[in-house]
């Protein structure tokens, strides 16, 4: 990653965790099309309610930022989550016969609510760079997983059910949004001291562990 030294530091610290995602049976099941639809349904609903809290973490970035440009970036990310990324979920919900009202009544699992509580605590107590470190693990790891699937399972994008999920997260539009987030991560952390950079790394590592727990929760269907 050229000139993205802070983001590269975060990624280097989580290399083994992220490689674990690629070996997880839930991810492999999406990749080869063998995942049970009921497991995906459970995941989809948990991820749908997760995204509302995820959007609230970005919204805290608006509150914490003084730079109008950074405020606009966080605000547009809220809009992209609620109106863009959720479209992948809504498409599947329609196919599975789930209404938005049904989805909004779903109770978050304990791993799900623990993850979002952690991110929201970071957002409440810390600054814009720390908020970005908290949200970046989810954003970047989904691109990482989807692109790995495309590279290793050539027909996965054409799968009649899971292809849409893979296409969404492997798309150029999704990657472009992630590049924008990375650019702001670098900008926000530009003058950070070593202890501050260590804190960003700790947050990113913690959220990466939570991402792994989310896949495990989805596979086991655990509340």
């Amino acid at each position: 990653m050229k000139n993205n030294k802070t983001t590269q530091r975060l990624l280097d610290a989580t290399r083994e965790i992220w490689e674990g995602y690629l070996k997880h049976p839930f991810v492999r099941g999406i990749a080869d099309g063998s995942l049970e639809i009921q497991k995906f349904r459970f995941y989809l609903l948990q991820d749908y309610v997760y995204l509302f809290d995820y959007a609230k973490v970005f919204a805290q970035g608006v509150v914490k930022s003084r730079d109008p440009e950074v405020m606009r970036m966080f605000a547009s990310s809220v809009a992209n989550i609620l109106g863009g990324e959720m479209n992948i979920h809504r498409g599947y919900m329609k196919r599975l016969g789930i209404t938005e009202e049904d989805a909004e009544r779903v109770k978050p699992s304990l791993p799900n609510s623990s993850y979002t509580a952690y991110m929201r605590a970071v957002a409440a107590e810390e600054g814009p760079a720390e908020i970005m470190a908290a949200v970046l693990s989810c954003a970047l790891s989904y691109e990482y997983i989807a692109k790995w699937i495309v590279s290793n399972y050539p027909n996965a994008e054409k799968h009649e059910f899971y292809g849409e999920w893979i296409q969404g997260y492997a798309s150029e539009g999704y990657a472009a949004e992630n590049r924008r987030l990375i650019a702001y991560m670098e900008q926000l952390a530009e003058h950070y001291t070593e202890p501050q950079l260590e804190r960003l790394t700790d947050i990113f590592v913690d959220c990466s562990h939570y991402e792994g727990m989310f896949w495990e929760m989805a596979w086991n269907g655990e509340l």
Side-chain angles (χ1 to χ4, degrees):
M1 270 190 191
K2 188 178 178 183
N3 299 324
N4 291 333
K5 62 180 182 180
T6 298
T7 305
Q8 191 60 58
R9 175 180 176 144
L10 304 181
L11 294 172
D12 288 344
T14 52
R15 195 177 303 278
E16 286 186 19
I17 301 170
W18 284 33
E19 286 175 1
Y21 304 155
L22 307 180
K23 298 171 186 172
H24 197 278
F26 192 95
V27 172
R28 289 291 177 102
I30 289 178
D32 64 18
S34 66
L35 183 69
E36 295 172 33
I37 299 294
Q38 281 303 108
K39 285 186 183 292
F40 186 80
R41 186 183 192 279
F42 179 82
Y43 153 79
L44 185 77
L45 290 171
Q46 287 294 318
D47 201 45
Y48 185 79
V49 294
Y50 163 90
L51 285 174
F52 285 106
D53 276 330
Y54 188 58
K56 289 176 184 178
V57 177
F58 278 95
Q60 276 289 96
V62 179
V63 176
K64 294 294 183 75
S65 301
R66 295 186 177 183
D67 182 336
E69 181 194 345
V70 176
M71 291 175 70
R72 282 191 287 270
M73 176 275 297
F74 278 115
S76 67
S77 292
V78 174
N80 286 337
I81 293 162
L82 297 178
E85 186 171 357
M86 277 187 162
N87 287 339
I88 298 173
H89 296 66
R90 292 187 185 107
Y92 276 109
M93 283 157 52
K94 189 174 181 181
R95 292 167 75 176
L96 293 168
I98 303 165
T99 67
E100 287 197 46
E101 291 75 19
D102 291 336
E104 287 161 14
R105 284 195 294 268
V106 169
K107 180 185 176 184
S109 70
L110 188 60
N112 190 349
S113 56
S114 297
Y115 182 8
T116 57
Y118 176 84
M119 286 195 294
R120 290 182 68 179
V122 168
E125 296 168 12
E126 304 190 46
E130 289 75 22
I131 292 171
M132 187 60 77
V135 298
L136 211 52
S137 177
C138 178
L140 298 186
S141 67
Y142 269 61
E143 180 186 351
Y144 171 77
I145 289 167
K147 287 187 171 174
W148 175 83
I149 291 174
V150 169
S151 295
N152 290 274
Y153 294 80
N155 295 317
E157 282 183 285
K158 300 172 188 170
H159 189 274
E160 61 181 4
F161 191 78
Y162 296 118
E164 184 183 341
W165 187 94
I166 297 162
Q167 288 170 25
Y169 290 111
S171 69
E172 174 52 30
Y174 189 76
E177 176 63 15
N178 279 345
R179 287 194 295 272
R180 188 176 74 110
L181 296 180
I182 289 170
Y184 279 102
M185 177 79 266
E186 298 303 318
Q187 179 182 322
L188 291 167
E190 186 177 3
H191 301 296
Y192 263 33
T193 63
E194 181 59 27
Q196 287 175 309
L197 291 169
E198 286 176 8
R199 176 58 185 151
L200 295 181
T201 305
D202 287 345
I203 293 168
F204 190 82
V205 168
D206 287 345
C207 288
S208 293
H209 279 301
Y210 273 119
E211 282 292 316
M213 290 167 62
F214 205 97
W215 294 121
E216 188 68 8
M217 167 213 73
W219 178 250
N220 294 321
E222 60 180 330
L223 285 170

